[in-house]
């Protein structure tokens, strides 16, 4: 709905879609004077008991069979009993059954290394629990709020009201668009977005409507420090005069911080880790079981809230059920003193640092939830960096009057409810900005009465601001957006982390503004894949739209690129056109981009490639594959000509001569061909796919080379498009039924499996499951061998399918008739049960119990050759995620075994401590050499 739409809803609604708690506030616009009210939300709080509460805990829970069978779970608006619920009961029941509860969906929604629309929550959930995507989980919370609202306001359904949803200021564009998608999934179309720190300040203005003018004056700067359950957000708001002679002031949001997954969840993990270490020392236990660890985190959350309160006890005892025991007498206990809590929480997350300090970079030590937590947990270091970068943001170069230190400090978020943490931040600001002339200076505190409701209240207030009422914060975009043109290279390798880029949208942009970069037109070919690598910076706010700049990761963050194929019709065109990029900051707070042909005015909308936030594609976006080497145009042309001599209309070269010819042209063995050349050869092969129909030998060579050139299915920009084109060209379309064609097609799919969707892998797996479990006719030996290798490479299969395949491979290994394919069976078992997949999702890794059973059988298998050793290492390799890792006992037994058979020392290290595979080990795990510059995954992904 636009601002000039005459149909105005009676109510405006603000929704805080929080990591830990959600809330809904509203304004009845028919009331005069209008006021912001809190909507009380009906929800289950216990078995058979529901109440209305001001907040809705952001947890989703699937009932156990006993719980669902004990009574009808029907809230007043529900017609039938439900097997799932959200809210207080979902949060508390998760203490007992953590594998049935979805938590921190908002943090997952901002995780740029996963497919946020994929169904993988709850993380490490129970086998019988349905999976949700972060978008679906967010939508479930919104659906509950919608149903509760509609029940209370049957004449004014929520989808007919103006709804403002809050999100972190640092959310990237994909997270913003997915938040809107979660709302659209339940029919909410009149949706607007507002950043949470702004919303918190709106709530403060609303609660101090009669007095804020007396407190705030022009030239001041306000710091909003927002730390919730999952994220940390910093925002600066400048106070400026409304006009040269005006006594009125305006608020301008001038800076936002970088996205930090750092909040209450991290504090809970720190306490749990501290308690675990002390518990293990006192009890002599080797480690806690994964289920105990999950419960310990929940207990730690309650301990945190108690020990950060003003009237806390001298110590807190954490009680934890012993593994396998439901009796109080079997529980474990550990006591932590107030001093230990302070060391872990106050000094650990809010240490006393200098203003010149900078956060550490790298990987966080926490991997328990699978989320990419901030590498440096020190909130004060992140705050110091933010203020150092932005204390002059929004000021003219000659402005010597306005403050460059925060005049006022506003806290928001559940973590900031703790006085000790608020005091540490206030003390830090006072110490950083005191001067010799003003030793007593400290920022003023803007008091917020209800931190748990402030964001929702501010969102409802902002909805009225949109209608021209209330006090407006003039908020520019706060981030500049760039399209990368090129990176600096030398000898085909990356010379630095600096990239050349064009500014598409400047940081001072406001909603509704459109920008066109006409001074830098692009030449694009219709029908071919194109990629637009994007960056965003919250520090480079003065760059102009169209300006060419050099940027790097110290001042900007990479966004998921826009990948697309431009065209006019279904018929493939080869026409090259000149286009310019147009960009717009929409009214709802999202960025839209178009390719525009100036001559004709034709426009193609460019959408963020949400799927390409997968880890395998993120590697491609860093340019590692491309940086391995660039081949000159003459060599590429000569190579294409050689392929045409085999598969073109005037073929005069035999298929078995093609590899030798290409190696002669490139003057190197095919293992040394860089990805840039490989993908170019792939395109030529696809262009001449009809030539494979000349003979079975032609088809076999074509299939083999296509897979080789596209392996591993990721690593170079728009590889997902290449895989989809290969699938359309080959799947179900073999020209010859010869065993050689079938075998080579299996090799092709195995090589590019990493770029396939789960649906494609399921289609490939269906006949393989029948064959490999011995339920169908036995295949030729070469075809059987490649069937095993392909099946084991399909890492997006379900957990049950992987277990059945692994058990079938172990059974086949026991058969003397299978001696000839023993190395393949061992390789398949290792790949199927690997603790760290090559590319696949960690949430479908074979269970620890199953992996330990496979390990036990393999350790008793002879001979202990390299194939067997590698399989054992894959099953026992340490990852740091206790849901994935085999038990300490199993690891110790495995290392004893590896030492006894003289396995490489690095194998022992991988099992004992974890770490990265060597290049040779990666090639062995992958099944053949990887292209130059492309590595296997090293961390969790979805």
């Amino acid at each position: 709905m636009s601002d000039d739409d005459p149909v105005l809803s009676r109510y405006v609604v603000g929704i805080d879609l929080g990591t830990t708690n959600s809330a809904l506030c509203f304004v009845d616009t028919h009331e005069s004077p209008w006021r912001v009210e809190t909507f009380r939300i009906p929800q289950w709080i216990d078995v058979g008991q529901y109440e209305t509460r001001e907040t809705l805990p952001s947890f989703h829970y699937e009932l156990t069979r006993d719980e669902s069978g004990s009574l009808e779970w029907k809230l007043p608006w529900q017609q039938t009993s439900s097997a799932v619920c959200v809210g207080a009961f979902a949060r508390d029941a998760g203490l007992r059954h953590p594998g049935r509860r979805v938590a921190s969906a908002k943090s997952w929604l901002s995780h740029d290394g996963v497919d946020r629309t994929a169904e993988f929550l709850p993380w490490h959930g129970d086998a019988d629990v349905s999976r949700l995507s972060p978008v679906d989980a967010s939508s479930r919370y919104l659906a509950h709020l919608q149903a509760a609202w509609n029940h209370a306001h049957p004449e004014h359904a929520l989808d007919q009201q103006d709804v403002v949803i809050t999100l972190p200021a640092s959310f990237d564009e994909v997270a913003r668009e997915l938040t809107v998608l979660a709302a659209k999934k339940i029919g909410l179309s009149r949706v607007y977005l507002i950043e949470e720190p702004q919303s918190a300040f709106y709530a403060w203005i609303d609660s101090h409507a009669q007095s804020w003018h007396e407190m705030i004056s022009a030239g001041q700067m306000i710091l909003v420090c927002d730390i919730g359950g999952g994220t940390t957000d910093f925002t600066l708001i400048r106070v400026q005069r409304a006009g040269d002679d005006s006594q009125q002031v305006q608020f301008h949001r001038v800076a936002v911080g970088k996205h930090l997954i750092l909040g209450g969840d991290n504090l809970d993990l720190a306490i749990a880790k501290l308690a675990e270490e002390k518990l293990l020392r006192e009890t002599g236990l080797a480690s806690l079981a994964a289920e105990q660890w999950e419960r310990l985190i929940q207990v730690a959350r309650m301990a945190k809230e108690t020990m950060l309160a003003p009237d806390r006890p001298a110590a807190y005892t954490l009680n934890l059920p012993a593994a396998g025991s439901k009796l109080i007498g079997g529980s474990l206990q550990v006591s932590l003193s107030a001093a230990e809590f302070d060391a872990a929480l106050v000094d650990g997350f809010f240490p006393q640092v200098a203003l010149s300090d900078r956060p550490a970079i790298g990987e966080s030590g926490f991997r328990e939830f699978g989320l990419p937590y901030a590498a440096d947990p020190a909130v004060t270091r992140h705050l110091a960096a933010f203020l150092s970068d932005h204390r002059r943001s929004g000021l003219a170069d000659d402005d010597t009057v306005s403050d460059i230190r925060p005049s006022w400090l506003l806290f928001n978020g559940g973590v900031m409810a703790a006085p000790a943490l608020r005091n540490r931040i206030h003390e830090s600001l006072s110490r950083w900005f005191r001067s010799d002339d003003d030793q007593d200076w400290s920022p003023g505190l803007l008091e917020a009465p209800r931190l748990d409701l402030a964001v929702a209240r501010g969102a409802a207030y902002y909805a009225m601001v949109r209608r021209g009422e209330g006090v407006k914060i003039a908020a520019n975009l706060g981030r500049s957006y760039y399209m990368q043109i090129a990176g600096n290279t030398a000898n085909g390798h990356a010379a630095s982390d600096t990239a050349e880029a064009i500014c598409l949208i400047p940081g001072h942009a406001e909603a509704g503004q459109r920008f066109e970069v006409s001074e830098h037109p692009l030449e694009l070919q219709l029908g071919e894949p194109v990629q637009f690598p994007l960056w965003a910076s919250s520090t480079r706010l003065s760059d102009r739209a169209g300006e060419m700049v050099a940027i790097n990761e110290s001042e900007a963050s990479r966004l998921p690129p826009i990948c697309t194929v431009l065209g006019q019709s279904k018929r493939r065109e080869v026409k090259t056109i000149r286009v310019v990029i147009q960009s717009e900051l929409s009214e709802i707070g999202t960025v839209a981009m178009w390719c525009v042909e100036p001559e004709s005015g034709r426009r193609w909308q460019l959408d963020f490639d949400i799927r390409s936030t997968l880890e395998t594609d993120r590697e491609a976006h860093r340019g590692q594959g491309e940086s391995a080497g660039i081949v000159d145009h003459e060599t590429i042309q000569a190579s294409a000509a050689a392929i045409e001599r085999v598969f073109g209309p005037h073929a005069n070269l035999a298929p078995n001569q093609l590899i030798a010819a290409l190696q002669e042209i490139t003057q190197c063995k095919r293992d040394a061909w860089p990805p840039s050349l490989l993908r170019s050869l792939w395109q030529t092969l696809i262009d001449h796919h009809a030539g494979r129909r000349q003979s079975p030998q032609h088809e076999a060579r074509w299939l083999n080379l296509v897979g080789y050139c596209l392996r591993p299915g990721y690593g170079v920009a728009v590889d997902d498009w290449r895989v989809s084109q290969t699938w359309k060209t080959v799947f179900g379309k073999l020209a010859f039924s010869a065993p050689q064609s079938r075998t080579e097609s299996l090799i092709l799919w195995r090589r590019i499996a990493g770029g396939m969707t789960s649906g494609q892998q399921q289609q490939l797996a269906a006949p393989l499951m029948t064959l490999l479990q011995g339920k169908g006719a036995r295949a030729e030996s070469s075809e059987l061998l490649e069937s095993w290798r392909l099946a084991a490479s399909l890492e997006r299969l379900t957990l049950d399918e992987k277990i059945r395949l692994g058990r079938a491979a172990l059974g086949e290994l026991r058969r003397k008739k299978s001696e000839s394919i023993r190395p393949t069976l061992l390789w398949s078992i290792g790949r199927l049960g690997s603790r760290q997949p090559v590319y696949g999702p960690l949430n479908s890794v074979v269970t620890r119990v199953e992996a330990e059973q496979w390990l036990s059988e393999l350790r008793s298998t002879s001979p202990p050759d390299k194939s067997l050793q590698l399989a054992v290492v894959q099953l026992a390799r340490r990852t740091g995620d206790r849901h994935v890792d085999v038990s300490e006992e199993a690891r110790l037994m495995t290392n004893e075994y590896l030492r006894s058979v003289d396995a490489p020392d690095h194998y022992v290290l991988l099992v004992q401590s974890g770490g990265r595979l060597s290049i040779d080990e990666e090639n062995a795990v992958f099944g053949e050499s990887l292209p130059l510059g492309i590595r296997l995954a090293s961390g969790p992904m979805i």
Side-chain angles (χ1 to χ4, degrees):
M1 175 177 156
S2 63
D3 291 332
D4 56 359
D5 193 321
V7 182
L8 297 175
S9 61
R10 172 171 174 174
Y11 295 93
V12 295
V13 175
I15 295 178
D16 173 13
L17 190 60
T19 304
T20 308
N21 289 288
S22 297
L24 187 154
C25 293
F26 66 96
V27 173
D28 184 347
T29 63
H30 286 192
E31 288 188 355
S32 182
W34 57 268
R35 61 191 178 92
V36 178
E37 300 180 63
T38 301
F39 179 72
R40 296 186 64 87
I41 308 160
Q43 59 195 283
W44 293 106
I45 64 166
D46 204 344
V47 177
Q49 182 182 358
Y50 71 85
E51 293 179 0
T52 61
R53 296 191 173 177
E54 291 182 318
T55 61
L56 178 77
S58 303
F59 296 86
H60 181 280
Y61 180 76
E62 186 169 326
L63 304 172
T64 66
R65 184 173 300 177
D66 289 343
E67 288 167 341
S68 62
S70 61
L71 66 126
E72 281 197 319
W73 292 76
K74 291 196 302 183
L75 288 167
W77 57 82
Q78 294 175 317
Q79 301 300 314
T80 59
S81 184
S82 176
V84 299
C85 67
V86 301
F89 181 77
R91 176 195 61 200
D92 299 339
L95 290 170
R96 301 185 296 272
H97 306 289
R100 310 188 73 82
R101 187 184 70 176
V102 173
S104 301
K106 184 176 179 179
S107 295
W108 283 106
L109 202 65
S110 63
H111 187 343
D112 70 351
V114 303
D115 178 357
R116 299 167 239 188
T117 62
E119 297 173 344
F120 56 83
L121 298 177
W123 185 246
H124 299 304
D126 292 350
D128 64 329
V129 172
S130 300
R131 297 304 197 265
L132 298 175
S133 70
V135 175
D136 288 334
S138 302
S139 191
R140 293 282 178 95
Y141 307 142
L142 290 173
H144 185 98
L145 295 174
Q146 180 186 42
W149 172 272
N150 290 350
H151 181 72
H153 304 85
E155 303 297 320
H156 302 280
L158 192 62
D159 64 345
Q160 299 301 314
Q161 313 309 306
D162 290 354
V163 177
V164 175
I165 298 178
T166 67
L167 39 68
S170 53
F171 253 20
D172 69 20
E173 292 314 307
V174 173
R176 288 169 181 258
E177 291 191 7
L178 291 179
T179 302
V180 175
L181 176 61
K184 287 183 177 179
K185 286 174 74 75
I186 61 166
L188 300 183
S189 56
R190 298 164 64 148
V191 170
Y192 306 91
L193 303 178
I194 185 174
E195 297 167 0
E196 288 161 3
Q198 275 191 74
S199 191
F201 188 62
Y202 273 129
W204 181 84
I205 291 174
D206 181 42
S207 63
H208 295 77
Q210 305 305 316
S211 60
W212 72 261
H213 306 78
E214 302 169 6
M215 303 171 62
I216 305 296
S217 60
Q220 294 181 333
M221 182 166 66
I222 300 162
L223 168 66
V224 183
C225 185
D226 183 353
I227 308 178
T231 57
T232 289
D233 255 338
F234 304 125
T235 288
L236 288 178
I237 298 172
R238 286 207 170 274
V239 187
Q240 300 176 348
R241 292 192 184 282
D244 291 340
D245 300 321
S246 174
Q247 297 302 309
Q248 300 296 314
V249 298
Q250 289 181 335
F251 297 107
H252 293 259
R253 197 289 313 278
V254 295
V256 296
K258 295 180 179 179
H259 182 65
L260 297 172
I261 299 186
L262 178 61
D265 287 348
N266 301 75
L267 273 64
D268 300 337
L269 284 168
I271 296 172
K273 194 68 178 174
L274 177 64
E276 181 190 35
E277 291 171 355
K278 191 170 184 179
L279 185 62
L280 297 183
R281 286 197 305 270
E282 293 177 355
T283 62
L285 294 171
S287 63
L288 293 180
E291 295 76 13
Q292 290 177 299
W293 171 250
E294 288 286 351
R295 291 186 175 90
L296 180 58
I297 293 171
Q298 313 309 321
V299 174
R301 180 171 290 132
M302 294 185 288
K304 172 195 69 179
E305 293 169 357
T306 299
M307 297 306 289
L308 286 177
D311 55 348
R312 66 181 181 178
Y316 190 101
T317 300
L318 292 85
N319 292 289
L320 185 67
S325 173
K326 298 181 180 178
L327 302 176
I328 296 298
S331 67
L332 302 171
Q333 293 184 340
V334 60
S335 180
L336 298 177
S337 67
E340 288 175 304
F341 275 96
D342 287 347
L345 301 183
V346 182
D347 296 330
F349 288 89
F350 299 85
Q352 294 182 343
V353 301
L355 182 61
S356 59
D357 284 358
R358 289 295 179 269
I361 58 175
E363 294 186 1
S364 169
F366 287 128
R367 292 185 58 182
E368 304 298 344
F369 295 160
L371 288 164
Y373 293 118
D376 192 329
V379 171
T380 42
R381 256 193 296 274
H382 290 287
L383 178 57
F386 170 72
L387 291 173
S388 295
D389 290 339
H390 291 290
R391 51 185 165 172
R392 291 201 62 86
S393 292
L395 297 181
D397 292 338
D398 59 352
D399 190 333
T400 59
V401 177
S402 299
D403 281 345
I404 60 171
R405 60 187 183 184
S407 312
W408 296 97
L409 175 60
L410 174 64
F411 290 115
N412 190 59
V415 171
M416 291 290 90
L421 304 185
R422 294 200 304 270
N423 292 340
R424 178 58 63 89
I425 289 179
H426 189 255
E427 291 167 2
S428 296
L429 291 169
S430 302
R431 181 164 42 83
W432 291 341
F433 294 108
R434 280 176 183 155
S435 64
D436 294 338
D437 299 332
D438 192 3
Q439 290 288 335
D440 295 328
W441 180 88
S442 63
L445 293 175
L446 302 180
E447 296 294 336
R450 289 288 301 270
L451 294 181
D452 56 341
L453 295 176
V455 168
R457 293 184 65 84
Y461 183 92
Y462 169 67
M464 295 303 294
V465 170
R466 288 184 54 80
R467 296 192 178 188
E469 303 190 37
V471 179
K472 181 180 180 181
I473 302 172
N476 57 23
L477 181 56
R479 288 179 299 278
S480 297
Y481 287 83
Y482 305 84
M483 181 176 69
Q484 182 175 331
I485 300 302
N488 293 334
T489 60
N491 300 320
H493 292 271
S496 73
D497 293 330
T498 301
E500 191 176 13
I502 300 172
C503 181
L504 299 179
I505 305 179
H508 59 73
E510 296 186 9
Q513 280 190 281
R514 179 172 293 184
F515 301 88
E516 180 173 293
V517 183
S518 56
E519 58 265 52
H520 298 288
L522 305 173
E523 285 194 351
L524 300 178
Q525 184 166 304
L526 297 178
E528 295 291 338
V530 291
Q531 183 201 35
F532 300 91
L534 300 179
W535 295 69
S537 174
S538 58
T539 58
R540 300 187 60 112
L541 302 180
S542 60
D543 293 331
R544 295 177 295 100
E547 184 176 357
M548 189 80 73
V549 300
I551 57 176
N552 58 56
E553 291 191 348
S554 68
E555 58 187 3
S557 301
R558 297 175 189 267
L559 291 174
I562 290 177
C563 303
T564 190
V565 179
L566 305 184
Q568 298 182 92
S569 63
K570 295 182 179 179
R571 178 175 59 87
R572 178 174 174 176
E573 300 180 70
V574 294
K575 177 182 176 183
T576 298
I577 62 172
R578 289 171 65 85
V579 298
V580 297
I581 303 296
Q582 284 185 355
S583 310
E584 181 181 16
L585 180 61
S586 74
E587 290 290 341
I588 67 169
T590 59
V591 170
M593 296 185 186
W594 296 267
C595 270
V596 181
E597 186 180 30
E599 291 78 10
S600 67
R602 289 182 300 172
R603 294 158 59 86
W604 293 265
Q605 183 157 2
L606 303 174
D607 295 319
F608 286 96
D609 188 348
I610 293 170
R611 183 186 174 275
S612 284
T613 59
L614 288 167
E615 181 73 19
T616 53
D617 290 318
R618 277 209 301 168
E619 292 298 314
H621 304 156
R622 297 190 178 107
Q624 293 179 346
E626 293 92 329
S627 67
I630 306 299
V631 178
D632 61 274
H633 185 63
E634 290 74 14
T635 299
I636 290 177
Q637 283 188 317
S639 300
I643 292 173
E644 289 182 30
R645 290 179 60 198
V646 178
F647 300 107
H650 306 294
N652 58 7
L653 186 68
N656 61 3
Q657 297 175 311
L658 179 55
I659 297 298
L662 291 172
Q663 292 182 151
E664 177 67 24
I665 292 168
T666 59
Q667 290 295 294
C668 60
K669 296 292 187 182
R670 68 174 188 168
D671 283 353
W673 294 345
S676 58
L677 174 62
L678 290 169
R679 298 315 190 253
S680 176
L681 298 179
W682 171 88
Q683 183 63 63
T684 304
L685 289 162
I686 290 294
D687 288 343
H688 293 85
H689 71 90
R692 65 187 167 109
R693 301 180 180 278
Q694 296 176 54
S695 71
Q697 291 74 29
H698 280 81
E699 181 165 58
R701 172 53 61 199
W702 186 90
L703 291 167
N704 182 278
L705 197 51
V706 165
Y708 187 82
C709 291
L710 193 47
R711 76 192 200 287
Y714 58 88
V716 179
V718 298
D719 269 351
D720 54 346
W721 179 84
R722 294 186 181 96
V723 171
S724 70
Q725 294 300 109
T726 304
W727 181 266
K728 293 175 185 176
T729 305
V730 178
F731 183 71
K733 297 177 182 177
L734 289 182
F736 301 94
S737 60
Q740 191 176 7
S741 287
R742 295 197 302 270
T743 299
E744 290 295 347
S745 70
L746 295 171
I747 295 172
L748 163 63
W749 299 132
R750 187 249 302 166
R751 281 172 162 165
I752 69 172
M756 291 182 184
T757 66
S758 57
Q760 290 167 340
Q761 292 197 2
Q762 287 290 339
Q763 290 186 66
L764 289 173
L768 295 178
M769 294 293 293
T770 300
L771 170 68
L772 300 180
Q773 292 181 92
K775 298 178 181 178
R778 196 166 179 84
E780 300 256 349
S781 58
S782 61
E783 196 172 340
L784 180 64
L785 182 148
E786 292 302 338
S787 294
W788 273 114
R789 287 163 64 84
L790 171 57
S793 300
L794 302 178
E795 294 184 355
R796 295 193 172 100
L797 297 183
T798 66
L799 180 60
D800 178 64
E801 288 169 322
K802 291 181 180 179
I803 290 175
R804 283 191 281 137
L805 283 168
R807 290 176 179 176
L810 284 166
E812 195 71 22
L813 191 64
R814 302 184 198 107
R815 291 164 51 98
K816 290 186 178 180
K817 291 182 179 179
S818 300
E819 186 64 28
S820 62
I821 62 169
R822 182 179 186 273
T824 295
L825 291 171
L826 289 168
W827 181 89
S828 301
I829 293 167
R831 187 76 183 265
L832 286 163
S834 177
R835 301 300 84 197
Q836 175 62 69
V838 170
Y839 63 83
L842 273 178
N843 60 302
S844 65
V845 168
V846 167
T847 63
R848 292 170 296 134
V849 173
E850 188 73 23
E852 288 176 12
Q853 292 174 352
W854 296 5
L855 269 172
S856 178
E857 184 160 350
L858 291 183
R859 288 196 301 263
S860 62
T861 300
S862 294
D865 54 21
K866 294 297 183 184
S867 298
L868 179 57
Q869 293 174 21
L870 180 62
V872 165
V873 170
Q874 288 182 264
L875 289 166
R877 177 183 171 192
R878 188 168 195 161
T879 70
D881 186 332
R882 69 188 73 214
H883 288 278
V884 169
D885 290 339
V886 297
S887 67
E888 185 71 18
E889 180 183 7
R891 277 206 308 276
L892 291 173
M893 292 176 64
T894 298
N895 268 342
E896 288 178 9
Y897 166 79
L898 290 172
R899 292 188 183 97
S900 72
V901 297
D902 296 323
D905 291 341
H906 193 234
Y907 280 11
V908 175
L909 182 64
L910 288 171
V911 173
Q912 180 176 314
S913 307
R916 182 131 207 178
L917 300 175
S918 69
I919 293 293
D920 289 342
E921 290 165 348
E922 285 193 347
N923 289 338
V925 168
F926 179 63
E928 62 181 307
S929 66
L930 283 158
L932 300 175
I934 296 179
R935 302 292 303 272
L936 302 185
S938 60
M941 49 195 169
I942 296 299

